[in-house]
Amino acid sequence: MLDGKPTYLSSEQLANLLRSTEGNAIQSIELITNPSAKYDAAGNSGIINIKLKKNRNYGTNGSILGGVGYGRYYKANGGLNLNHREKNQYFWKLRLRTQ
């Protein structure tokens, strides 16, 4: 489970999720060894509930992305991501990409 919502992951997928998640983004990890009847009984080893910290970054942020390459022909791509957030609302989000 992620933040109390059922997420069905294999052990390999769970390991990849934990490797790719920064440690400071996890609030707590709960182990439910004897789950109640409301949870799916698809296993007998228990349930892991990973609670993530909520993103509290407010304001405007963005990133610029660019790349070039050469194979048979010259290739280039680029992108721009802009976000503005206040409390629980996104006021605007802009994504531009070219190839």
Side-chain angles (χ1 to χ4, degrees), residues 35-46:
S36 65
K38 75 175 186 176
Y39 298 108
D40 184 19
N44 59 2
S45 59

Side-chain angles (χ1 to χ4, degrees), residues 55-64 80-85 90 92-94:
N55 185 359
R56 305 229 186 260
N57 294 330
Y58 301 124
T60 304
N61 62 51
S63 62
I64 297 174
L80 171 68
N81 292 327
L82 293 174
N83 300 297
H84 182 75
R85 180 177 182 211
Y90 277 104
W92 47 266
K93 182 179 266 189
L94 173 67

Side-chain angles (χ1 to χ4, degrees), residues 62-67 76-82 94-99:
S63 62
I64 297 174
L65 163 72
N77 62 24
L80 171 68
N81 292 327
L82 293 174
L94 173 67
R95 287 188 176 159
L96 302 172
R97 296 192 183 226
T98 62
Q99 285 194 348

Side-chain angles (χ1 to χ4, degrees), residues 18-93:
L18 292 174
R19 280 189 201 109
S20 64
T21 304
E22 293 183 23
N24 59 2
I26 297 175
Q27 180 177 345
S28 65
I29 297 177
E30 297 176 350
L31 299 175
I32 305 171
T33 57
N34 192 9
S36 65
K38 75 175 186 176
Y39 298 108
D40 184 19
N44 59 2
S45 59
I47 295 175
I48 300 172
N49 184 17
I50 302 169
K51 291 186 176 183
L52 300 174
K53 291 181 181 177
K54 303 298 180 209
N55 185 359
R56 305 229 186 260
N57 294 330
Y58 301 124
T60 304
N61 62 51
S63 62
I64 297 174
L65 163 72
V68 295
Y70 183 75
R72 184 172 178 163
Y73 300 103
Y74 172 77
K75 300 174 187 176
N77 62 24
L80 171 68
N81 292 327
L82 293 174
N83 300 297
H84 182 75
R85 180 177 182 211
E86 290 185 12
K87 297 197 180 184
N88 293 330
Q89 297 178 345
Y90 277 104
F91 281 101
W92 47 266
K93 182 179 266 189

